[in-house]
Amino acid sequence: MKQVTLNDTNAIAIGAGILGTGGGGSTYLNRLRLDNEIRRQGRSVDVVQADDVPDDALVCAVGGMGAPTVSSEKLQAGNEIATAVRALEDHLRREIYAIVIGEIGGGNALGPMVAALQLGLPVVDGDGMGRAFPELDMDTFMIYGVEPSPFVLADSHGNVSIFTRIRSAKHAEEFARRLTIEMGGSAALVMPVMTGAELKATVIRDTVSLAKRIGETVLDCRARSIEPAATVAALCNGRVLFSGKIIDVERRTVQGFARGKLIISAFDDFEQQLRIDFQNENLIARRDGQALCTVPDLITLVSLDDGEAIGTESLRYGLRVAVLAMPAPKELKTPEALAVVGPRAFGYEVAFQPLAGDLL
Amino acid sequence: MKQVTLNDTNAIAIGAGILGTGGGGSTYLNRLRLDNEIRRQGRSVDVVQADDVPDDALVCAVGGMGAPTVSSEKLQAGNEIATAVRALEDHLRREIYAIVIGEIGGGNALGPMVAALQLGLPVVDGDGMGRAFPELDMDTFMIYGVEPSPFVLADSHGNVSIFTRIRSAKHAEEFARRLTIEMGGSAALVMPVMTGAELKATVIRDTVSLAKRIGETVLDCRARSIEPAATVAALCNGRVLFSGKIIDVERRTVQGFARGKLIISAFDDFEQQLRIDFQNENLIARRDGQALCTVPDLITLVSLDDGEAIGTESLRYGLRVAVLAMPAPKELKTPEALAVVGPRAFGYEVAFQPLAGDLL
C-alpha cells in the first residue's frame, strides 16, 4: 500500500470501525474530514512501510483522546493534531519524518491521515494497538519500552501542552485524561515520539492495509447482497460470536470515558443473551456469566443491515447486530502486553483465554 | 534590600504570613527549607530591584500551586520550582536572569528564594499580588497584559508539563488547577515568563522588603511584650477590624481549593460576631450581613498571643485572634484589576469599598 486515495477512504473507515471494537471515535466525521482534506490539497495520503523509515529518523504516534460519546458531538477545529506535531517539532528543534497512527480502530485511523496531509508527511502502514484501547499507555510502543515523554496535548481552541518529563506511561495517562476532560472531553494527542529503530521494534505492521481489506470485503458483500459478518470474521481469523437484538444499554460518560454494558438477545430465543461490558471499547463478552471473549481479543458489534461497526457511542435498543470475536495481533498477547491490556488490567478476575490464531 | 540572610528569614516568614490573608501556604515549612538551603549553600539569597533588571532580560514568576491544606500535609521534594525553571530554559533555549515571586503572601514568598539559591539566581524585590490570591490569573503581570504562556507545572515526582500556547489566563488557571489536583494537590508553577521591561511595567515593587519590615515589627512588639496587631495594622495603613475567639469553622478542600467560612465572637459580647468567607485566602469580612472589608483589600487573622498569621489551613475553634484589615496595593484597585480580583470576581454581589490608603 503506497497511498490512500479518495477511492480508499470509505473502505478504510469501515475496516477501522470494525477494528475499533466499539471505540476509537466516529469514523463518519473523520472520513468526511479526510475526503475534504484530500480534495482541498489535491493529493492523496502517502503511506510508508515501517521498515523503510530510517533508524535515526524521528516519528510520532498521534490520535484523538477522549470518550467516543464526546467525539461524535463536539466537533474538532480540524487542525489539532497538526498543531500538536508542530509544537513538538518546535520544542525538539527536529523534524518529524512520518506520522504513525496511534490506534487503527475507529476514527483514530483517519484523523492522523488528515494531519499527515496538513503537515506534508507520510503515514506509516501500522499502528500501536491493532485495534482501539481506552487508555493511552495501552500501545505496543510503550508496552515494549518507548518513553512516554515528551508528549503533546492540544485542543480545539489552540491550547497546547507539552509534557516534557513523565515518570511512567500510567502517569501520562492520568495527566492527559484530566487535561482532556478540562479541554472539553476531547483533545489531540502526540505520543509517543520515537526513532525509526524504535518504531520497527514495536509497531504492529500493515494495519492500515488490513483496515482497507476488511472494508473492501464489507463493500463487496454488500454489492453481492451477502450478510458481511461471517465473511469479515473469517478474513480476521475470527468468528461470529452471537447474533441478535440489543435489548439493554447502560452507558455513562464518566472520568473522560464512555463506560457501560449492553445486553443482546437472540432473535429466536429471548432467554439466550450475551452481555458485553465496555470502557470506550468492548472489553468482555459473557454468556450465562461465562466469559466467551475478552480483551485484548477483539469484540465488535456490526449492524446486520450493512456490516458497519457500531461504536459504543451509537448503541441503542433495538439494533440488530452480529458480534464478531477476532483474535488480537500476537504483539498484544505476550506477558508484558497482557499485564497492560489483559482482562485483569481492566479489573476482570478472569484469565485471558485467547481465541485461536492471530489477527494478522 | 540586597540580600536575604539567615537573620532575615524569620521576619520575612512572619511578614509574608500576614500578607498572605490566610493563604499562600505554610510559611513554617518553607522557612525551614530556606534556612536549610542557605546553610547548605553557605550563601544568602541575592535580591535585585525590578528597575535594575535589563529590559531585554528574561525573568519568570514562580510559586507553589494548590490548596494550603494540602501544602501543609504533603511535603515537597524540594526542587520542584528549580526543575520547572530549568525545563523552561531548555524549552526556550534562553537563560532566566532573575526569579520573581508570584505571590508574596504565605509560604509562596519563601519557596521562590529556595529555588533562586538552587539555580544561582537573584530574586526580585517585588511580586505580582502584594498579598496572596487563590487563582493564578490573579496577578498584576497578567492583569496588565503579560501573556500566560509558556508556563510550566512540575510535581514532586519529577513530572513536568510546559503549556506552550494558552488562549487566556483563565484557561491557564483551569488547566493548571486540574493538573495540580492530579499531581496530588500541589505543584510548582512557573508563570508568567516576561522581559525586564514587562516586569517593570507590572510588578508590585518592594514587597519582600515590606514583608521583612512587618515581621520585624512583630518581633519587636514581642520583645517589648506589646500585642502586635495594632502596630502591624498601622504599619500597613490598616486597622484592627475585630478581636475575639473563633467559634465556628467550616472548611472543605474541594476542586483544589480550601473553601469555607469562619465566625469570630467578641470576648465581651458573644452576640457581636464577624463572619469571614475564604477560598484559600480570606475574601470578605461581614458583620450583621454588612461587608466591612472585601478582597482585594487584605483580611488577615493574627494570633493574639504572638502576632503570627493564621492560615486557612490552621483555623480551629477557640483560637484567640485579631482580624487585620489592610488596604490593597494601588495596582490591585484599578478597574482592570478589580475585574479580576474584586469581590464580584469571587461571586459576591457587593461593590468594592476600599479602605483608605494603600498598602505600600
Side-chain angles (χ1 to χ4, degrees):
Chain A
M1 186 172 197
K2 299 209 163 159
Q3 283 201 317
V4 172
T5 71
L6 276 180
N7 292 329
D8 306 317
T9 58
N10 190 27
I12 292 176
I14 293 171
I18 288 170
L19 292 173
T21 67
S26 162
T27 54
Y28 177 73
L29 288 173
N30 275 349
R31 188 212 156 185
L32 291 184
R33 294 177 51 232
L34 179 55
D35 284 359
N36 275 347
E37 198 67 35
I38 291 173
R39 284 199 195 92
R40 177 156 56 185
Q41 304 232 3
R43 63 197 171 83
S44 306
V45 182
D46 290 325
V47 178
V48 290
Q49 300 311 304
D51 295 314
D52 293 336
V53 175
D55 277 357
D56 59 353
L58 215 57
V59 300
C60 58
V62 305
M65 174 136 191
T69 37
V70 173
S71 76
S72 66
E73 292 184 359
K74 173 176 173 274
L75 294 183
Q76 299 172 45
N79 59 354
E80 289 90 335
I81 293 178
T83 298
V85 172
R86 287 209 186 91
L88 177 75
E89 289 181 321
D90 286 350
H91 174 71
L92 296 174
R93 269 75 162 176
R94 280 196 64 181
E95 288 192 351
I96 293 296
Y97 180 88
I99 294 296
V100 181
I101 294 167
E103 68 179 356
I104 192 67
N108 263 340
L110 305 163
M113 296 183 191
V114 176
L117 278 172
Q118 292 168 340
L119 292 161
L121 296 178
V123 295
V124 173
D125 188 359
D127 79 306
M129 298 184 174
R131 45 168 290 164
F133 280 123
E135 301 185 16
L136 59 68
D137 51 321
M138 297 174 167
D139 71 36
T140 52
F141 310 127
M142 288 185 283
I143 287 170
Y144 296 114
V146 175
E147 284 294 318
S149 59
F151 77 88
V152 187
L153 217 56
D155 74 7
S156 49
H157 296 291
N159 297 309
V160 178
S161 173
I162 305 178
F163 291 77
T164 55
R165 260 174 53 188
I166 289 294
R167 246 182 124 205
S168 70
K170 203 74 196 163
H171 273 97
E173 160 64 26
E174 286 161 6
F175 293 156
R177 187 72 49 188
R178 270 295 139 193
L179 206 52
T180 295
I181 293 169
E182 200 60 32
M183 286 172 162
S186 69
L189 175 73
V190 175
M191 178 185 197
V193 186
M194 56 196 148
T195 63
E198 287 175 315
L199 173 75
K200 291 173 207 175
T202 58
V203 71
I204 303 176
R205 286 169 173 76
D206 303 326
T207 50
V208 177
S209 300
L210 174 65
K212 185 181 163 195
R213 209 156 60 236
I214 293 171
E216 286 170 346
T217 302
V218 171
L219 291 170
D220 183 57
C221 288
R222 260 190 231 168
R224 297 192 284 137
S225 296
I226 306 170
E227 215 170 69
T231 315
V232 167
L235 172 68
C236 296
N237 298 322
R239 63 191 175 94
V240 177
L241 202 62
F242 201 85
S243 291
K245 190 177 85 164
I246 298 180
I247 60 160
D248 195 21
V249 178
E250 187 185 306
R251 182 181 51 213
R252 293 165 306 145
T253 303
V254 283
Q255 297 176 314
F257 294 111
R259 288 179 198 266
K261 64 180 171 66
L262 71 138
I263 296 172
I264 306 165
S265 170
F267 293 120
D268 48 0
D269 180 358
F270 183 82
E271 298 290 311
Q272 298 274 359
Q273 296 185 340
L274 188 79
R275 171 186 159 150
I276 296 175
D277 292 3
F278 55 86
Q279 176 186 341
N280 289 6
E281 282 75 32
N282 302 315
L283 298 178
I284 183 167
R286 283 181 283 207
R287 202 161 155 178
D288 303 326
Q290 205 65 33
L292 298 187
C293 184
T294 72
V295 68
D297 282 343
L298 286 68
I299 303 165
T300 295
L301 274 65
V302 296
S303 162
L304 281 177
D305 296 331
D306 57 10
E308 296 261 357
I310 298 166
T312 48
E313 77 278 12
S314 307
L315 296 169
R316 63 173 197 277
Y317 177 88
L319 287 180
R320 294 156 36 88
V321 299
V323 180
L324 309 184
M326 300 169 281
K330 61 184 183 309
E331 293 87 343
L332 298 179
K333 293 186 280 196
T334 64
E336 302 99 293
L338 288 175
V340 179
V341 299
R344 285 187 209 279
F346 289 96
Y348 296 104
E349 284 305 318
V350 296
F352 174 56
Q353 301 278 3
L355 301 172
D358 295 317
L359 182 64
L360 284 162
Chain B
M1 187 173 196
K2 300 208 164 161
Q3 283 201 318
V4 172
T5 71
L6 276 181
N7 292 329
D8 306 318
T9 58
N10 191 26
I12 293 175
I14 293 171
I18 288 169
L19 292 173
T21 68
S26 163
T27 54
Y28 178 74
L29 288 173
N30 274 349
R31 188 211 155 183
L32 292 183
R33 293 177 51 234
L34 179 55
D35 284 359
N36 275 348
E37 198 67 35
I38 292 174
R39 284 199 195 91
R40 178 157 55 186
Q41 304 232 3
R43 64 196 171 82
S44 306
V45 183
D46 290 325
V47 178
V48 291
Q49 300 310 304
D51 295 313
D52 293 337
V53 175
D55 277 356
D56 58 354
L58 215 59
V59 300
C60 58
V62 305
M65 176 138 189
T69 37
V70 173
S71 76
S72 65
E73 293 184 0
K74 173 175 173 274
L75 295 183
Q76 300 173 45
N79 59 354
E80 289 90 336
I81 293 178
T83 297
V85 172
R86 288 210 187 89
L88 177 74
E89 289 182 321
D90 286 351
H91 174 71
L92 295 174
R93 268 74 162 175
R94 281 196 61 181
E95 288 193 350
I96 293 296
Y97 180 89
I99 293 296
V100 180
I101 294 168
E103 70 178 356
I104 192 66
N108 263 340
L110 305 163
M113 297 183 191
V114 177
L117 279 172
Q118 292 168 340
L119 293 162
L121 295 177
V123 295
V124 173
D125 189 358
D127 79 305
M129 298 184 174
R131 45 167 291 164
F133 280 123
E135 300 186 17
L136 60 69
D137 52 321
M138 296 174 169
D139 72 36
T140 52
F141 310 128
M142 288 184 284
I143 287 170
Y144 295 115
V146 175
E147 285 294 318
S149 59
F151 77 88
V152 188
L153 217 57
D155 73 7
S156 49
H157 296 292
N159 297 309
V160 178
S161 173
I162 305 178
F163 291 77
T164 56
R165 262 174 51 186
I166 289 294
R167 247 182 124 206
S168 70
K170 205 71 198 164
H171 273 96
E173 160 64 26
E174 286 162 5
F175 294 156
R177 187 72 48 186
R178 269 296 139 194
L179 206 53
T180 296
I181 293 169
E182 201 60 32
M183 285 172 162
S186 69
L189 175 74
V190 176
M191 178 186 199
V193 186
M194 56 196 148
T195 63
E198 287 175 314
L199 173 74
K200 291 171 207 176
T202 59
V203 71
I204 302 176
R205 287 170 173 76
D206 303 325
T207 50
V208 178
S209 299
L210 174 66
K212 184 180 163 197
R213 210 157 60 236
I214 294 172
E216 286 170 347
T217 301
V218 171
L219 292 169
D220 182 57
C221 289
R222 261 189 231 167
R224 297 192 285 137
S225 297
I226 305 171
E227 215 168 69
T231 315
V232 167
L235 172 68
C236 296
N237 298 322
R239 64 192 174 95
V240 177
L241 201 62
F242 201 85
S243 290
K245 190 176 85 164
I246 297 179
I247 59 160
D248 195 23
V249 179
E250 188 186 306
R251 182 181 49 214
R252 294 166 306 145
T253 303
V254 282
Q255 298 176 313
F257 295 110
R259 288 179 197 267
K261 63 179 169 69
L262 71 139
I263 296 171
I264 306 166
S265 171
F267 294 121
D268 50 359
D269 181 358
F270 183 82
E271 299 291 310
Q272 298 273 359
Q273 296 185 341
L274 187 78
R275 171 186 159 150
I276 297 174
D277 292 3
F278 55 85
Q279 177 187 339
N280 289 7
E281 283 75 31
N282 302 315
L283 298 179
I284 183 166
R286 282 181 282 207
R287 203 160 155 180
D288 302 325
Q290 205 64 33
L292 298 187
C293 184
T294 72
V295 69
D297 282 343
L298 287 68
I299 303 166
T300 295
L301 274 64
V302 297
S303 162
L304 281 176
D305 297 332
D306 58 8
E308 296 259 358
I310 298 165
T312 48
E313 76 279 11
S314 307
L315 296 169
R316 62 172 198 277
Y317 176 88
L319 287 179
R320 293 157 35 87
V321 299
V323 179
L324 308 184
M326 300 170 281
K330 60 185 183 309
E331 293 87 344
L332 298 180
K333 294 186 281 196
T334 64
E336 302 99 294
L338 287 176
V340 180
V341 299
R344 286 186 209 279
F346 290 96
Y348 297 104
E349 284 305 319
V350 296
F352 175 55
Q353 302 278 3
L355 301 172
D358 294 317
L359 182 64
L360 284 162

